[in-house]
């Protein structure tokens, strides 16, 4: 009896120690307190309404996808700042494909889309293919040229955006069927959950599982923790890193699809800060900038915090610039906590 | 000048215009540099088309290049490299009206006339300035909003970034006209989504949640309009919350017809580009004396609605992008 | 436990030559490692000890020479090959991933997966790996306060012991160690030597590179001395003293 008890106690204390040292736990607590605070001070507690919660989640769907991808890359000690350009290029190609295939130029300009369904499928495919290819290019340059990922993706940021501008002629793709917004992005599953939110949750759950429970996840973190040890252990480090960039590219393509669906338009200039936001979200959530530690759940929390702040400040009619300051402070706190965890002898 | 010479020169100039990106030019021809505020927006694309059309007509070489972001640091590099090529004239959209005063002044002094378009310098050191009266554009929006919504209500205006004189001018025009035309109208703190449609959607979605009495939104630029339209649609309030935006590229026009927008304030960027090149060329060729030019010129704006879209008075303003590269 | 008999030849290396540019790191070195025995590889800096170990682990391709594991000739294309063939190497930097747990490190690259389709997709059998790791640590007498903590939070000696435990788990013929106790305190050294004794009990051959000659005299079964890339002596620690080993190391350069 006594040994069972002490075993249980040890298990509980081990779990709670790990939990309390997890940055993502504290960030979740922070997120909850923000939600409760805004809920209480907003007129009629409107902030706490389910509608508001789902609206915030909808706004965060795209960021959620790329934050999780960033999680993986950071976990392996890589950095991808070309995310925004990838999304921009992918959405341009997607938009062009849809508009080209949905009908003749005259029909499309008049809002008639005879081949709508298969044009949309082709467009989605184009987005994912473009994203994956862009990611593949990043991965090849990083692993073959053996250049720092920051430098490589800095270069591809410009290349990707330039390509997008050349292909689009500098303006957003017009005549994208509005049904992508009304019939897809606005669609609520069960009348409640916005479809993009469901998609992001499903994708994030799968990626969470892969990171925590599969060999692929372990190897990702091993590479970020010690490239040397991983290579010595027989892991094909370059191939794994390449696959991570392709994964990120696919997520960028998916994010581009959600973006076009939401606005029924491409957004050429609107993705400049995407990479920064994705990295912030991952870091706030406990993913280490130095590799070896990553949290998918934390990245989602990290993506939600700025959105909750932004929405809350608007609802209580306060100067929205506080959001920037507060998010900056939170990032510092998260990185500080990560540093402390690294130094601590548990 | 004999016709065959004009023809020869025009053909030659046209060929140069086509090759203008490689920077090829001959000493006979007038060459003008055009640095916009940013590339990648149909507004400036349309302005470029108008400029190119005038250039082709007059046998002038036009070099058009600008930054991908509305950023003074980025634009300065483009201005400097444009000047290095020793153009005979410069057309400029100033991204920072104060910071660019010095460089424009120096350029003018060195004998290169400068015309600014779309936004002003803080001091009139340039030869000429053509812009839409942004404030008047905002007023058109405010007036329409008062007509569309009767009886008070809460309203939201979306700018870009605080401290951008033309966008802020539009917002101010809207607010002034709205409060004058609608008694009991309450205007919320201005939203600043910058270039992010997602941010604009976040602001609008939050406002819709918080303000049950929200009646109308004014988006002072295209991207803000995109975001606002998405949020209104997501909240299922299309038509109940009036949306007026600025600028009219083909997508916006078709959206106007479809009822996504209740009104669009349309500028005439094609005409601005066209007129700027015309005037500058005349000055360079000595056909017009610089001293005889009035500094400020206003380009017209018009309010387009689904109803008046096909009136020739309105439809001539719609952004024309058909001009190739 | 290996099925081969005690005292059998686990690793045989002969005539290894390796040149780096104008420097001849190894000039025909050889080594015989027997099961159940601890061999100490001793030499001055630059004598070629590390290079020889790297040749056996596959990290370095020798220009000439033969390597055989358990009586069979091998051609090693990389470090993965030696591991696959049953010879484990512990490097000076330990090659542990600091953020991963003990169990994860122990099975890195050789993870146990669940059965069936899930396993083929890569789903890990974490419980089995953790159980196995616990058993091995218990066998070696290594006590950890928190088993699931990242390896980074362990002491230097504990990390070394983990590296040794890992090598022992996977080795079928021999374990090679490069300076396993440099920069460790006495207590921690004991941990490591304990683990090495266990390896020997399991009928593996152990090769140690060490500068701690007195300790090697106490601990090793055989001492091999390298100088300038070739063998100069093979000694029985029970029959020699420190002076003789140092003489062999330094050769004529040693002032008497």
């Amino acid at each position: 009896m006594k040994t069972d008890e002490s075993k249980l106690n040890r298990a509980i204390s081990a779990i709670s120690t790990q939990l309390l040292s997890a940055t993502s736990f504290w960030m979740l607590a922070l997120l909850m307190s923000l939600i409760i605070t805004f809920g209480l001070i907003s007129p009629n507690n409107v902030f706490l309404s389910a509608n508001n919660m789902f609206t915030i989640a909808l706004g965060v769907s795209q960021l959620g996808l790329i934050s999780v991808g960033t999680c993986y890359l950071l976990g392996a000690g890589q950095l991808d700042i070309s995310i925004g350009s990838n999304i921009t290029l992918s959405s341009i190609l997607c938009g062009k494909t849809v508009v080209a295939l949905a009908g003749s130029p005259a029909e499309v300009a008049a809002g008639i889309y005879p081949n709508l369904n298969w044009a949309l499928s082709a467009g989605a495919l184009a987005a994912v293919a473009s994203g994956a290819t862009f990611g593949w290019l990043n991965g090849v340059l990083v692993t073959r040229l053996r250049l720092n990922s920051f430098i490589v993706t800095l270069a591809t940021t410009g290349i990707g955006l330039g390509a997008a501008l050349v292909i689009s002629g500098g303006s957003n793709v017009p005549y994208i069927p509005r049904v992508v917004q009304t019939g897809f992005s606005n669609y609520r599953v069960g009348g409640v959950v916005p479809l993009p939110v469901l998609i992001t949750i499903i994708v994030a759950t799968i990626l969470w599982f892969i990171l925590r429970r599969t060999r692929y996840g372990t190897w990702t973190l091993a590479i970020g923790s010690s490239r040397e040890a991983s290579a010595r252990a027989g892991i094909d480090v370059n191939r794994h890193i390449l696959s991570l960039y392709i994964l990120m590219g696919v997520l960028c393509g998916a994010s581009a699809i959600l973006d076009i669906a939401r606005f029924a338009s491409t957004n050429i200039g609107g993705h400049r800060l995407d990479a920064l936001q994705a990295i912030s979200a991952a870091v706030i959530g406990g993913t280490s900038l130095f590799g070896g530690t990553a949290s998918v759940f934390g990245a989602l929390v990290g993506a939600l915090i700025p959105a909750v702040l932004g929405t809350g400040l608007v609802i209580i009619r306060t100067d929205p610039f506080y959001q920037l300051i507060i998010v900056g402070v939170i990032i510092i706190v998260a990185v500080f906590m990560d540093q402390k965890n690294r130094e601590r002898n548990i | 000048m004999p016709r065959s010479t004009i023809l020869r020169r025009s053909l030659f100039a046209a060929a140069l215009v086509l090759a203008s990106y490689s920077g090829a030019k001959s000493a006979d021809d007038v060459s003008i540099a055009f640095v916009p505020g940013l590339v990648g927006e149909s507004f400036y694309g349309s302005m470029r088309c108008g400029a190119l059309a005038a250039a082709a007509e007059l046998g002038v070489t036009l070099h058009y290049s600008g930054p991908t972001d509305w950023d003074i640091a980025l634009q300065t590099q483009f201005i400097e490299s444009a000047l290095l090529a020793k153009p005979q004239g410069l057309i400029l959209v100033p991204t920072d009206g104060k910071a660019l005063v010095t460089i424009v002044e120096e350029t003018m002094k060195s004998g290169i006339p400068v015309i600014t378009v779309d936004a002003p310098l803080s001091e009139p050191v340039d030869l000429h300035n053509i812009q839409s009266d942004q404030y008047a554009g905002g007023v058109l929006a405010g007036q329409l909003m008062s007509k569309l919504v009767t009886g008070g209500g809460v309203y939201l205006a979306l700018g870009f970034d605080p401290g951008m004189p033309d966008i802020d001018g539009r917002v101010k025009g809207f607010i002034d006209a709205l409060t004058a035309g609608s008694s009991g109208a309450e205007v919320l703190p201005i939203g600043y989504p910058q270039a992010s449609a997602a941010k604009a959607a976040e602001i609008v979605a939050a406002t819709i949640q918080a303000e049950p009495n929200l009646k109308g939104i004014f988006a002072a630029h295209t991207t803000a309009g995109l975001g606002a339209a998405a949020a209104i649609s997501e909240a299922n309030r299309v038509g109940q919350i009036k949306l007026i935006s600025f600028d009219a590229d083909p997508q916006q026009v078709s959206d106007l017809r479809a009822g996504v927008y209740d009104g669009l304030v349309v500028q005439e960027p094609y005409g601005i580009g066209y007129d700027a090149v015309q005037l500058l060329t005349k000055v360079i060729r000595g056909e017009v004396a610089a001293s005889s030019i009035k500094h400020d010129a206003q380009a017209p704006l018009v309010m387009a609605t689904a109803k008046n879209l096909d009136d020739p008075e309105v439809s001539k303003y719609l952004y024309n992008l058909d001009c190739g590269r | 436990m290996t099925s081969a008999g005690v005292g059998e030849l686990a690793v045989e290396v002969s005539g290894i030559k390796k040149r780096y540019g104008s420097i001849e790191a190894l000039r025909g070195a050889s080594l015989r490692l027997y099961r159940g025995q601890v061999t100490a590889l001793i030499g001055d800096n630059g004598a070629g000890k590390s290079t020889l170990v790297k040749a056996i682990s596959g990290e370095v391709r020798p220009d000439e020479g033969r390597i055989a594991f358990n009586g069979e000739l091998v051609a090693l294309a990389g470090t993965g090959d030696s591991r696959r063939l049953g010879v484990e190497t512990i490097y000076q930097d330990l090659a542990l991933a600091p953020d991963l747990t003990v169990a994860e490190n122990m099975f890195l690259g050789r993870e146990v997966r669940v059965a069936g389709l899930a396993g083929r997709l890569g789903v890990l059998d974490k419980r089995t790996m953790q159980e196995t790791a616990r058993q091995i640590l218990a066998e070696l007498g290594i006590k950890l306060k928190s088993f699931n903590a990242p390896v980074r939070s362990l002491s230097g000696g504990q990390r070394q012991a983990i590296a040794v435990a890992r090598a022992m788990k996977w080795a079928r013929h021999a374990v090679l160690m490069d300076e396993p106790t440099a920069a460790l305190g006495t207590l921690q050294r004991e941990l490591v030597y304990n683990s090495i004794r266990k390896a020997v009990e399991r009928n593996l051959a152990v090769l140690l590179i060490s500068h701690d000659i007195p300790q090697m005299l106490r601990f090793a079964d055989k001492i091999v001395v390298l100088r300038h890339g070739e063998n100069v002596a093979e000694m029985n620690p029970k029959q020699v003293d420190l002076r003789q080993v140092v003489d062999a190391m330094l050769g004529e350069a040693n002032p008497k």
Side-chain angles (χ1 to χ4, degrees), chain B residues 54-109:
Chain B
E57 264 176 49
L58 297 170
V60 160
T61 313
L62 186 74
H63 296 278
Y64 180 97
S65 71
T68 50
D69 229 338
W70 184 279
D71 182 274
I72 178 65
L74 290 176
Q75 194 193 32
T76 309
Q77 294 167 22
F78 281 88
I79 298 172
E80 281 168 6
S81 56
L83 291 175
L84 271 176
K86 300 229 186 308
Q88 276 118 331
L90 172 67
I91 301 173
L92 174 65
V93 177
T95 54
D96 185 329
K98 276 212 204 89
L100 286 170
V101 168
T102 316
I103 194 174
V104 169
E105 213 172 4
E106 284 168 9
T107 309
M108 289 281 293
K109 282 210 189 97

Side-chain angles (χ1 to χ4, degrees), chain A residues 170 175 178 186 262 272 317, chain B residues 40 69 186 233-234 251 255:
Chain A
Y175 309 131
R178 194 156 274 282
N186 287 356
R262 188 170 191 210
R272 297 303 159 71
R317 295 205 198 177
Chain B
D69 229 338
E186 188 191 349
S233 172
E234 280 155 16
Q251 174 77 45
D255 286 343

